[in-house]
């Protein structure tokens, strides 16, 4: 089977975690007789310095023509790269699973929820302007985008088949208009899903409850910036950003990437954990499987291999071990064959 994957190596620790992930993809190719055509495309800070643009048109064109895109973090130009790509390619759903992993220092061992975040509007729409003595931003929330992401979240709650519970997270008591539109849209969509329990929660309460009782969440449905912030908090419940993967999903295209940024504090030290990107690749194969590719076994193989390596105590420094980024990639690749 042939799969065209556009790869953005990104900035900071991006290139090193990409290399470790490629090691794993090569192992999967051999084991499952796949042909993964990795098409490298440029974007981010280094691309900006070299070409004068953080997101060249050629990059967008190649991503459009590929089956899927795998992306490492980019640095300071993230707003010009991933935020733009989400809007240009209409990748309206940002999906960030949070799952307790065995042998990882998690807050509890029964955490299993997913944050479904609206990805194209809200405060990240980019409408910022100067005003006298400061600046202002416009928060855009539409019924169309809110209903679309709510539909996605309810379908996900059904397909996960766990608690079948969606909680809409908002701040409608203060942002009455924008969060009001979001919340009303969620309640309207909820009527169609009688088999899914629905409630809502203020974002400050959600931030607290994620620490107090994370095991009670199943699907968290929220707006762009709230989702961005809560996902970093969520990652910390289950081992930190080194394990946190995500997908930006549209109807026709998807981009998978680690939750974290370019981590300039550890770049070049071979300390970065590539599992964030390897688990993003796992999500990528899961998504490809929903579109007809026979790759469910591939995502399962990544998952099992990651669990096995973690169980053997071989980890990068963020999880208490001493493996380098490259060694971690090689360990997972080796495990795929066993
Ligand atoms: P950026 O400005 O690009 O968002 P940042 O350093 O502000 O970068 P993150 O890159 O998200 O934000 O990193 C936050 C912290 O988590 C840093 O201390 C970083 O070293 C650590 N971190 C992030 N990703 C990883 C990883 N894959 N492995 C180990 N530590 C990581």
């Amino acid at each position: 089977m042939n799969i065209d994957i556009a790869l953005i190596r990104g900035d900071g620790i991006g290139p090193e975690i990409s290399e470790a992930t490629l090691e794993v993809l090569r192992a999967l190719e051999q084991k499952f007789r796949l042909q993964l055509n990795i098409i490298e495309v440029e974007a981010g800070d280094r691309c900006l310095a070299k070409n004068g643009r953080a997101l060249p048109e050629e990059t967008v064109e190649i991503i459009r023509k590929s089956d899927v895109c795998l992306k490492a973090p980019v640095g300071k130009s993230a707003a010009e790269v991933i935020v733009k790509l989400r809007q240009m390619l209409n990748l309206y759903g940002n999906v960030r699973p949070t799952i307790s992993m065995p042998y990882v220092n998690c807050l509890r061992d029964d955490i299993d929820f997913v944050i479904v975040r609206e990805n194209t509007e809200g405060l990240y729409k980019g409408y910022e302007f100067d005003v006298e003595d400061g600046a202002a931003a416009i928060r855009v929330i539409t019924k169309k985008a809110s209903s679309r992401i709510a539909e996605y979240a309810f379908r996900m709650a059904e397909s996960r088949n766990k608690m079948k519970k969606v909680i809409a997270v908002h701040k409608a008591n203060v942002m009455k208009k924008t969060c009001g539109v979001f919340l009303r849209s969620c309640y309207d969509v909820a009527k169609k899903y009688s088999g899914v329990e629905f409630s809502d929660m203020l974002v400050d309460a959600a931030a607290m409850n994620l620490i107090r009782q994370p095991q009670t969440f199943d699907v968290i449905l929220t707006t762009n910036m709230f989702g961005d912030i809560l996902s970093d908090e969520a990652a910390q419940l289950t081992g930190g950003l080194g394990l946190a993967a995500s997908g930006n999903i549209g109807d026709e295209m998807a981009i998978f990437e680690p939750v974290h940024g370019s981590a300039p504090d550890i770049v070049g030290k071979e300390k970065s954990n590539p599992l964030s990107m390897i688990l993003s690749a796992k999500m990528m194969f899961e998504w490809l499987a929903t579109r007809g590719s026979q790759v469910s076994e591939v995502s399962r193989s990544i998952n099992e291999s990651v669990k096995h390596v973690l169980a053997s105590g071989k980890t990068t420094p963020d999880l208490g071990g001493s493996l380098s980024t490259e060694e971690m990639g090689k360990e997972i690749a080796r495990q795929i064959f066993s």
Side-chain angles (χ1 to χ4, degrees):
M1 188 188 318
N2 251 303
I3 301 173
D4 291 346
I5 304 173
L7 172 72
I8 298 175
R9 280 185 189 250
D11 303 305
I13 61 169
E16 60 198 52
I17 61 171
S18 296
E19 201 48 54
T21 305
L22 283 173
E23 185 82 31
V24 174
L25 293 182
R26 285 183 209 115
L28 293 164
E29 259 191 318
Q30 279 188 44
K31 172 147 182 191
F32 294 98
R33 296 176 189 277
L34 299 171
Q35 190 172 337
L36 304 176
N37 307 315
I38 308 291
I39 309 145
E40 299 218 11
V41 288
E42 289 183 305
D45 294 0
R46 286 182 304 144
C47 177
L48 177 66
K50 191 172 136 203
N51 307 316
R53 281 173 307 168
L55 182 64
E57 273 157 34
E58 308 87 82
T59 294
V60 181
E61 273 321 294
I62 291 171
I63 294 174
R64 276 189 208 279
K65 285 185 193 144
S66 304
D67 293 308
V68 70
C69 174
L70 187 58
K71 177 190 159 293
V74 298
K76 292 191 166 48
S77 54
E80 285 82 62
V81 179
I82 189 62
V83 178
K84 287 277 176 326
L85 279 170
R86 288 167 181 158
Q87 292 172 3
M88 288 165 101
L89 304 175
N90 209 7
L91 307 177
Y92 58 85
N94 195 311
V95 179
R96 299 185 169 191
T98 302
I99 306 170
S100 304
M101 289 286 235
Y103 309 98
V104 172
N105 189 10
C106 299
L107 191 68
R108 306 173 52 104
D109 61 9
D110 56 356
I111 301 171
D112 185 353
F113 64 85
V114 59
I115 297 180
V116 174
R117 148 188 169 200
E118 204 293 321
N119 218 13
T120 59
E121 49 181 37
L123 270 172
Y124 291 1
K125 192 81 183 164
Y127 295 157
E128 287 196 299
F129 49 91
D130 296 318
V131 292
E132 205 185 311
D133 195 33
I138 294 179
R139 184 172 195 246
V140 180
I141 303 280
T142 63
K143 267 194 233 170
K144 184 178 169 206
S146 302
S147 307
R148 185 173 59 178
I149 196 67
E151 291 275 358
Y152 188 90
F154 278 91
R155 284 199 305 272
M156 173 157 295
E158 283 186 331
S159 68
R160 276 166 59 81
N161 208 11
K162 302 213 181 252
M163 287 181 249
K164 294 206 176 173
K165 182 164 121 180
V166 172
I167 299 180
V169 170
H170 62 93
K171 191 73 186 174
N173 57 340
V174 176
M175 290 185 282
K176 293 190 165 70
K177 295 256 180 220
T178 50
C179 273
V181 169
F182 175 72
L183 201 52
R184 277 194 299 281
S185 307
C186 295
Y187 270 97
D188 280 347
V189 171
K191 287 179 200 150
K192 292 200 270 173
Y193 293 85
S194 55
V196 178
E197 184 189 329
F198 178 65
S199 59
D200 68 273
M201 193 179 282
L202 292 173
V203 64
D204 37 357
M208 177 185 69
N209 285 326
L210 276 178
I211 291 167
R212 200 167 68 159
Q213 43 188 26
Q215 76 284 5
T216 61
F217 290 95
D218 180 11
V219 175
I220 294 177
L221 160 62
T222 192
T223 53
N224 207 340
M225 193 173 73
F226 293 160
D228 192 11
I229 297 168
L230 292 179
S231 340
D232 271 32
E233 182 190 353
Q236 213 50 43
L237 302 172
T238 51
L241 286 170
L243 286 167
S246 78
N248 302 274
I249 317 280
D251 288 331
E252 299 303 327
M253 177 36 81
I255 298 180
F256 294 87
E257 58 172 351
V259 168
H260 60 75
S262 61
D265 54 331
I266 53 168
V267 67
K269 296 181 182 156
E270 275 288 320
K271 278 183 173 177
S272 58
N273 189 344
L275 291 183
S276 56
M277 193 154 170
I278 293 169
L279 290 169
S280 299
K282 179 200 90 147
M283 290 180 72
M284 172 181 85
F285 286 110
E286 280 167 359
W287 180 78
L288 286 165
T290 65
R291 297 177 55 83
S293 300
Q294 305 294 306
V295 286
S296 305
E297 260 189 82
V298 182
S299 49
R300 270 198 294 277
S301 169
I302 300 178
N303 204 32
E304 290 312 308
S305 303
V306 168
K307 281 188 183 164
H308 198 278
V309 170
L310 290 174
S312 69
K314 292 176 183 161
T315 59
T316 42
D318 57 314
L319 298 177
S322 58
L323 287 195
S324 68
T325 312
E326 187 186 347
E327 287 165 342
M328 190 65 171
K330 285 196 179 356
E331 277 302 327
I332 306 288
R334 214 180 347 260
Q335 191 54 42
I336 285 184
F337 285 117
S338 63

